[in-house]
Amino acid sequence: QKEVEQNSGPLSVPEGAIASLNCTYSDRGSQSFFWYRQYSGKSPELIMSIYSNGDKEDGRFTAQLNKASQYVSLLIRDSQPSDSATYLCAVSDNQGGKLIFGQGTELSVKP
Amino acid sequence: EPEVTQTPSHQVTQMGQEVILRCVPISNHLYFYWYRQILGQKVEFLVSFYNNEISEKSEIFDDQFSVERPDGSNFTLKIRSTKLEDSAMYFCASSGRLVGETQYFGPGTRLLVL
């Protein structure tokens, strides 16, 4: 059974701080890794994709991938109250393309 | 910006009734997916569709479920005889020309089976 694990939180950070979200996955054949943001009652919205080991930065967001440790993380710098949402880690093995999602980490950014 | 659309946004049905959930994927995308999310639970894969056929389906996607791309733009999920446990948010997603590319999600259909 392929699994993606995340701490469910809630993770609470003050406005302006760095939020660090972590994810581990069980399938070593995984090739594509995604972070989605989901507001309550809404659909997943893509934040970042990452395909190779190392860091990938996009504005205030940095995704980090370590395939040897089967670990993906997302850093959010200068967190804003509007970043408060559930962050979903998703992994694909690129065979059929299906995404396997983690439970999500609820982030709360306090003004 | 192109986006995935879904109709209806909400559907209430009686147990045992058939429902059809509709999706219009992004126009030049080739891979199509259905996921569901039961309230408070994780997003779960149901089925993937490529080149006019199912490429993969999960254990959830039993004989009560079917998918179709009837006219080259719409992508539908049919549940033949709904059960109480089918109550969930159903998301359609599409991705581009290569497997493993980013999947873009529609806004979802909230299905309530009474």
Side-chain angles (χ1 to χ4, degrees):
Chain A
Q1 182 81 353
K2 299 175 183 178
E3 299 282 346
V4 176
E5 299 288 340
Q6 297 180 252
N7 291 327
S8 59
L11 173 66
S12 183
V13 300
E15 184 174 355
I18 295 175
S20 177
L21 306 164
N22 303 314
C23 170
T24 58
Y25 59 94
S26 64
D27 180 16
R28 284 197 173 274
S30 300
Q31 297 291 326
S32 305
F33 306 86
F34 305 91
W35 284 99
Y36 286 87
R37 177 173 61 197
Q38 186 177 34
Y39 294 110
S40 180
K42 302 296 185 183
S43 62
E45 173 193 7
L46 180 74
I47 298 295
M48 296 277 293
S49 60
I50 188 166
Y51 301 95
S52 53
N53 281 329
D55 295 359
K56 180 181 177 183
E57 186 174 319
D58 183 1
R60 296 185 296 111
F61 300 94
T62 299
Q64 299 173 316
L65 173 61
N66 183 327
K67 289 186 179 180
S69 300
Q70 296 174 247
Y71 176 88
V72 194
S73 66
L74 180 70
L75 298 178
I76 307 174
R77 289 181 299 281
D78 188 23
S79 296
Q80 301 297 308
S82 58
D83 294 328
S84 298
T86 297
Y87 288 80
L88 308 178
C89 174
V91 172
S92 172
D93 61 11
N94 285 17
Q95 292 181 1
K98 71 171 184 240
L99 294 176
I100 300 170
F101 282 86
Q103 182 73 17
T105 297
E106 183 184 350
L107 173 66
S108 176
V109 181
K110 304 293 188 186
Chain B
E1 184 174 324
E3 58 183 21
V4 178
T5 60
Q6 290 185 243
T7 54
S9 58
H10 293 79
Q11 174 101 40
V12 180
T13 190
Q14 295 292 323
M15 189 170 56
Q17 294 297 303
E18 174 183 288
V19 295
I20 297 176
L21 310 183
R22 292 183 168 81
C23 168
V24 179
I26 294 172
S27 63
N28 61 347
H29 282 186
L30 300 181
Y31 293 85
F32 314 114
Y33 306 86
W34 283 101
Y35 295 85
R36 79 172 186 190
Q37 187 176 30
I38 294 170
L39 189 63
Q41 298 188 21
K42 63 174 68 176
V43 177
E44 301 174 286
F45 167 76
L46 292 177
V47 66
S48 57
F49 193 86
Y50 170 73
N51 199 25
N52 284 320
E53 61 182 21
I54 290 174
S55 50
E56 189 173 2
K57 58 185 180 180
S58 72
E59 292 175 354
I60 303 167
F61 195 89
D62 61 21
D63 292 344
Q64 294 300 314
F65 292 87
S66 63
V67 289
E68 197 176 38
R69 188 157 160 79
D71 57 12
S73 62
N74 290 283
F75 180 49
T76 62
L77 174 69
K78 182 192 289 186
I79 310 175
R80 287 188 185 81
S81 179
T82 50
K83 306 182 184 71
L84 296 177
E85 55 265 36
D86 293 328
S87 294
M89 192 77 152
Y90 288 80
F91 297 113
C92 173
S94 69
S95 64
R97 299 187 165 271
L98 297 175
V99 70
E101 286 189 11
T102 297
Q103 293 180 29
Y104 295 91
F105 284 73
T109 293
R110 184 173 297 282
L111 177 65
L112 178 61
V113 182
L114 302 176

